[in-house]
């Protein structure tokens, strides 16, 4: 009965929505994301994956349980005696998706996303080096590239690779103890131990040192936090000297962090530093097809999207992979919600707030400033401000340079757009032109931003 109900669950939900006069907003809020886990002795166990729904279960049971029973009876001619609705705990989700080869294996901290594996990571020229390094570390922890330091802009796959490493090691070397956390978790647990909360300082140190592999995501967030840097320094030394594998991810290389202690910077740089860059068009198409394949395998109903629509997304999503997946998810959701097929008309309508079609034909200073600000992780307001420190002035100058080179605007028009004088714009353009020819780092950053703007030369 369980398999039958699960296979017909979309039809049951649709029957609920259409036959019992449930408004669209009520359906979307209370029933749309409800899923069937099991049927035991005539009792159906339903669940939400969103933990925020736990406070609404009593209301849903009172208002909709009889409707759910009736819909099941109508659609598959099966009587349900009782209903239970729960919220999936992360442990339960992981247990269902991740096969554990050895129950003694330790996987602390944030639980792994079952979809973030090497098999689901699209390898291309822009990331093959970082994937090779991650796989080598996975196959021989502690023997090569220790530490492995992966850096790149948000949404390009760093977390996916970190999870992939953890999955690979836990599945293929189950005797090793693996821990994956974010630097925020590390910091919060340290603070709790200092305050003698749920974990003592001794317990904290044992937890982070009695392991074989430590993966810390977004390590940049410990920078500037003196006590956290101090504790991580000693943890790093302990594991490194014991030849335990350390993998770190960040949005920048160590040299770009002005507040990072020199002793930590030198340790981060003593292994392998490898960057992950924005995907090209071919890679984005491959990623979209992989994501679509995964969504098709999870869906009862078929999902058909032709290459023209995927190409539209790949050409116009220029920021990161996360945005690519978000666009695909929104398109599929709108198709299901409105019961229409996915074509170019739907794609253009559904994604009008996400994609910027033909951006190179309608490039504006405002959009250039926005993309430059995103790349440097500063605000548009800071670029437009009177601040002159290097962290702000260089992005501002790059934005002016790109405006002059690619928009056709005069220097006076650019000055007006940035609320600066004409001489400031001339200086910025000359400086960045010189820097591009003499500084490979600036050249790389400008090229990256140009790609994000979808400019073709």
């Amino acid at each position: 009965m369980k398999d039958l109900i699960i296979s017909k669950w979309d039809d049951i939900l649709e029957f609920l929505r259409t036959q019992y006069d449930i408004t669209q907003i009520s359906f979307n809020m209370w029933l749309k994301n409800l899923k069937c886990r099991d049927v035991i002795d005539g009792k159906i166990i339903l669940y939400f994956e969103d933990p925020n729904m736990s406070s609404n279960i009593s209301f849903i049971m009172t208002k909709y349980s009889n409707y759910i029973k009736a819909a099941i009876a109508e659609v598959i001619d099966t009587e349900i005696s009782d209903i239970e609705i729960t919220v999936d705990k992360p442990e339960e989700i992981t247990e269902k998706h991740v096969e554990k080869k050895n129950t003694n294996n330790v996987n602390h901290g944030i639980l792994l996303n079952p979809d973030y594996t090497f098999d689901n990571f699209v390898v291309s020229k822009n990331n093959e080096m970082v994937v090779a390094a991650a796989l080598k570390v996975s196959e021989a922890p502690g023997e090569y590239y220790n530490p492995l330091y992966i850096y790149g802009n948000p949404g390009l796959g760093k977390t996916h690779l970190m999870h992939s490493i953890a999955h690979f090691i836990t599945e293929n070397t189950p005797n090793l103890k693996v821990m994956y956390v974010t630097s925020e978790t590390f910091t919060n647990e340290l603070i709790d131990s200092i305050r003698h909360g749920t974990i003592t300082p001794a317990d904290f140190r044992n937890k982070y040192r009695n392991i074989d592999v430590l993966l810390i995501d977004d390590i940049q967030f410990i920078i500037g936090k003196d006590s956290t840097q101090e504790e991580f320094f000693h943890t790093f030394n302990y594991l490194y000297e014991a030849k335990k594998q350390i993998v770190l991810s960040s949005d920048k290389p160590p040299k770009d962090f002005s507040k990072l202690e020199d002793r930590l910077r030198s340790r981060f740089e003593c292994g392998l530093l490898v960057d992950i860059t924005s995907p090209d068009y071919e890679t984005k198409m491959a990623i979209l097809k992989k994501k679509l394949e995964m969504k098709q395998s999870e869906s009862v109903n078929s999902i058909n999207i032709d290459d023209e629509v995927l190409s539209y997304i790949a050409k116009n999503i220029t920021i990161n992979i996360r945005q690519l997946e978000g666009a695909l998810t929104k398109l599929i959701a709108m198709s299901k919600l409105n019961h229409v097929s996915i074509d170019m008309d739907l794609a253009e309508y559904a994604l009008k707030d996400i994609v910027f079609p033909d951006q190179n034909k309608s490039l504006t200073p405002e959009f250039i400033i926005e993309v430059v600000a995103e790349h440097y992780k500063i605000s548009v307001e800071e670029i437009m401000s009177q601040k002159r420190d290097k962290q702000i002035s260089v992005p501002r100058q790059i934005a002016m340079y790109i405006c002059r080179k690619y928009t056709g605007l005069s220097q006076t028009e650019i000055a007006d757009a940035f609320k600066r004088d004409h001489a400031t714009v001339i200086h910025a353009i000359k400086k960045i032109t010189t820097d591009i020819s003499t500084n490979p780092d600036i050249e790389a950053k400008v090229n990256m931003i140009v790609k994000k703007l979808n400019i073709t030369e």
Side-chain angles (χ1 to χ4, degrees):
M1 186 190 300
K2 169 188 171 182
D3 292 340
L4 176 60
I5 290 179
I6 290 176
S7 68
K8 293 289 186 179
W9 188 245
D10 284 349
D11 295 334
I12 292 168
L13 289 180
E14 182 63 13
F15 188 92
L16 267 171
R17 186 183 70 83
T18 57
Q19 298 300 314
Y20 298 120
D21 296 325
I22 299 173
T23 64
Q24 191 66 56
I25 189 170
S26 295
F27 176 79
N28 290 345
M29 180 64 71
W30 311 122
L31 301 172
K32 180 180 178 182
N33 296 317
L34 198 58
K35 299 180 181 180
C36 175
R37 172 186 288 157
D38 209 345
V39 180
I40 303 174
D41 297 330
K43 176 182 178 180
I44 185 169
I45 300 173
L46 307 175
Y47 72 96
F48 290 104
E49 291 182 344
D50 182 358
N52 294 323
M53 291 300 293
S54 59
S55 60
N56 301 312
I57 288 176
S58 177
F59 168 80
I60 296 169
M61 284 289 294
T62 300
K63 189 170 179 65
Y64 296 106
S65 60
N66 287 335
Y67 290 148
I68 294 171
K69 291 179 187 178
I72 292 172
E74 290 290 337
V75 174
I76 64 171
D77 194 24
T78 298
E79 294 293 330
I80 292 296
S81 60
D82 197 8
I83 291 177
E84 177 184 338
I85 301 178
T86 66
V87 171
D88 246 342
K89 292 184 174 64
E91 293 88 349
E92 295 169 328
I93 295 173
T94 303
E95 286 290 338
K96 289 184 292 182
H97 291 89
V98 181
E99 178 185 355
K100 294 187 176 180
K101 295 187 177 181
N102 189 323
T103 57
N104 293 324
N105 185 271
V106 178
N107 182 17
H108 293 287
I110 297 175
L111 292 167
L112 303 177
N113 185 326
D115 292 331
Y116 284 0
T117 65
F118 284 118
D119 289 339
N120 291 333
F121 195 93
V122 176
V123 182
S124 64
K125 289 183 178 179
N126 72 295
N127 62 32
E128 60 186 358
M129 180 178 177
V130 65
V131 174
L135 188 56
K136 197 167 188 177
V137 161
S138 302
E139 293 176 345
E143 296 182 26
Y144 303 96
Y145 310 145
N146 200 18
L148 175 62
Y149 186 104
I150 303 170
Y151 69 94
N153 288 330
L156 296 181
K158 298 188 300 296
T159 296
H160 189 147
L161 279 178
M162 297 282 278
H163 284 228
S164 299
I165 293 170
H167 274 306
F168 190 98
I169 295 173
T170 57
E171 291 171 10
N172 293 280
T173 320
N175 60 305
L176 296 183
K177 295 181 179 180
V178 180
M179 180 189 294
Y180 166 83
V181 294
T182 64
S183 61
E184 181 182 14
T185 298
F186 183 90
T187 301
N188 290 340
E189 290 186 0
L190 173 62
I191 292 171
D192 192 50
S193 73
I194 293 171
R195 294 175 179 172
H196 301 290
T198 57
I199 181 174
T200 67
D203 289 337
F204 175 86
R205 292 190 177 98
N206 286 335
K207 175 179 178 179
Y208 281 93
R209 298 181 188 184
N210 187 29
I211 56 174
D212 299 294
V213 181
L214 174 63
L215 303 103
I216 297 190
D217 220 345
D218 295 322
I219 194 67
Q220 69 268 16
F221 291 114
I222 74 167
I223 296 170
K225 300 178 177 70
D226 292 341
S227 59
T228 306
Q229 286 192 122
E230 178 72 21
E231 185 60 43
F232 183 72
F233 171 77
H234 294 297
T235 298
F236 184 103
N237 280 350
Y238 184 92
L239 294 174
Y240 182 79
E241 290 171 5
K243 298 190 181 302
K244 306 300 185 181
Q245 182 65 53
I246 302 167
V247 183
L248 309 172
S249 81
S250 176
D251 60 347
K252 297 177 183 178
K255 67 181 181 64
D256 285 359
F257 292 113
S258 59
K259 294 184 179 180
L260 179 63
E261 293 180 1
D262 288 340
R263 58 180 181 168
L264 272 178
R265 191 192 318 276
S266 66
R267 281 158 178 77
F268 290 171
E269 294 176 341
C270 71
L272 177 66
L273 275 65
V274 60
D275 66 325
I276 183 168
T277 59
S278 297
D280 55 20
Y281 169 79
E282 289 76 14
T283 305
K284 287 189 284 186
M285 282 293 289
I287 291 170
L288 285 169
K289 289 181 178 181
K290 172 66 75 173
K291 296 292 184 184
L292 178 59
E293 179 183 313
M294 292 169 64
K295 290 180 183 298
Q296 287 170 332
S297 67
E298 296 168 357
S299 176
V300 174
N301 300 317
S302 62
I303 303 172
N304 297 311
I305 306 179
D306 62 32
D307 283 355
E308 181 186 13
V309 173
L310 296 180
S311 179
Y312 173 77
I313 298 173
K315 287 179 178 177
N316 292 297
I317 295 291
T318 60
I319 302 298
N320 58 46
I321 296 169
R322 195 174 294 133
Q323 202 176 41
L324 271 182
E325 185 172 9
L328 185 63
T329 300
K330 183 175 182 180
L331 187 58
I332 293 171
M334 187 162 285
S335 168
K336 289 183 177 179
L337 190 63
N338 295 287
H339 306 286
V340 295
S341 60
I342 298 175
D343 56 18
M344 278 301 299
D345 288 339
L346 180 65
E348 290 175 356
Y349 175 76
L351 307 180
K352 63 182 184 296
D353 297 326
I354 299 177
V355 303
F356 299 91
D358 301 323
Q359 189 62 52
N360 57 315
K361 298 179 182 178
S362 57
L363 211 56
T364 64
E366 291 76 18
F367 183 63
I368 291 171
I369 292 169
E370 180 182 334
V371 173
V372 171
E374 183 275 335
H375 182 83
Y376 277 93
K377 297 176 182 58
I378 58 178
S379 66
V380 170
E381 290 73 19
E382 285 177 306
I383 287 186
M384 297 299 292
S385 72
Q386 298 301 315
K387 293 181 180 179
R388 296 185 178 181
D389 52 293
K390 188 175 181 180
Q391 287 79 6
I392 306 300
S393 64
V394 171
R396 182 188 299 132
Q397 290 166 346
I398 287 175
M400 291 178 178
Y401 167 86
I402 292 174
C403 281
R404 179 58 177 158
K405 183 168 183 179
Y406 296 105
T407 65
L409 295 176
S410 68
Q411 293 170 347
T412 301
E413 290 171 322
I414 295 171
D416 291 341
F418 283 80
K419 296 180 171 54
R420 293 296 196 282
D421 58 39
H422 184 257
T424 300
V425 175
I426 293 175
H427 169 74
I429 295 170
K430 286 183 178 179
K431 182 178 183 304
I432 298 303
T433 301
T434 301
D435 287 349
I436 287 173
S437 62
T438 59
N439 187 335
D441 186 52
I442 291 293
E443 181 184 21
K445 283 181 168 62
V446 171
N447 289 339
M448 178 73 69
I449 293 166
V450 167
K451 287 182 179 179
K452 288 184 175 184
L453 290 164
N454 202 26
I455 297 171
T456 55
E457 300 186 75

